[in-house]
Structures are given as structure tokens and as C-alpha cells.
Amino acid sequence: MSRPIGAHFHVAHGLSNAMLLPAVTAWSAPAALARYADCGRAMGLAEAGEGDQSTVARLVEALRDVNRDLAVPTPRSYGIDEARWTELLPLMAEQALASGSPGNNPRVPDAQTIQALYREAWA
């Protein structure tokens, strides 16, 4: 999903990944809850004996906190024109799917879901 952001709006690949990471992680987690919880535990985010669901919630919040601490902009705060962003959502979703990368996710999105994730990342 990050490639179309870079292609259309000249956002560095790593930055566009960071913009998307909290939203995509939150959406993906139900398909691999234990694996995402393991990540949260490895990061020291869970209390002793804390369940997977709670640990993943902490993980997603930690990703949001890291973005905030590092001043990772949202597409909006980066200066991307909202009308252009919205206009390109169907094409960006199509391009993201064509790249094959969404198929590597534990929960594979369709075009409509990708557009919803782009909208969430916009904020």
C-alpha cells in the first residue's frame, strides 16, 4: 500500500510505510493475534500474564505513539491535497493489489478494505 503513496505523492517509501503501520497492524491483527501479541511482548509492552488481545491493543497504541514521537506525518499533515487523495483511492488500491504485497499480509485485503485503510491513515 505504500508504493502508490510514493508514486502519486512523492512520499519516501519508508515514510509511507510508517504512515500506514498502525492502521494496517490494527486491521491485520485478528488474523494472527498470537504472532502480533508476541511482537508486543518482545517489545516489553505486556504485563505478566496479559492476554493476546490486550497485548495487541498495546502494540497498536505503541505504534501510534512511536509515530507521534518521531513526528511521522499523516498524509494530511504531509500536505497531500485531500481531494486528490480521495480521487486516487480506487487507483491506489488497485495498484497496491497489483504489487502483490497485500497478499503477504496475514489478513489479505480487497480493494474496498485498502481504500478504507487509506482513509484511516489520512487523518
Side-chain angles (χ1 to χ4, degrees), residues 35-121:
R35 290 173 59 197
Y36 283 94
D38 286 346
C39 292
R41 289 184 186 99
M43 294 170 64
L45 301 173
E47 301 291 326
E50 189 165 4
D52 288 353
Q53 190 72 42
S54 179
T55 299
V56 171
R58 289 178 185 267
L59 172 64
V60 171
E61 189 57 36
L63 294 173
R64 290 183 182 122
D65 290 346
V66 166
N67 276 7
R68 192 171 28 259
D69 292 348
L70 296 175
V72 173
T74 64
R76 171 184 282 179
S77 66
Y78 190 77
I80 295 172
D81 178 72
E82 185 173 11
R84 184 73 174 140
W85 175 265
T86 302
E87 172 190 351
L88 287 172
L89 288 180
L91 177 59
M92 292 193 323
E94 178 184 315
Q95 291 171 333
L97 286 169
S99 77
S101 293
N104 297 324
N105 200 48
R107 186 176 180 195
V108 179
D110 60 16
Q112 184 177 3
T113 301
I114 290 173
Q115 288 182 54
L117 289 166
Y118 280 140
R119 283 187 196 94
E120 184 178 340

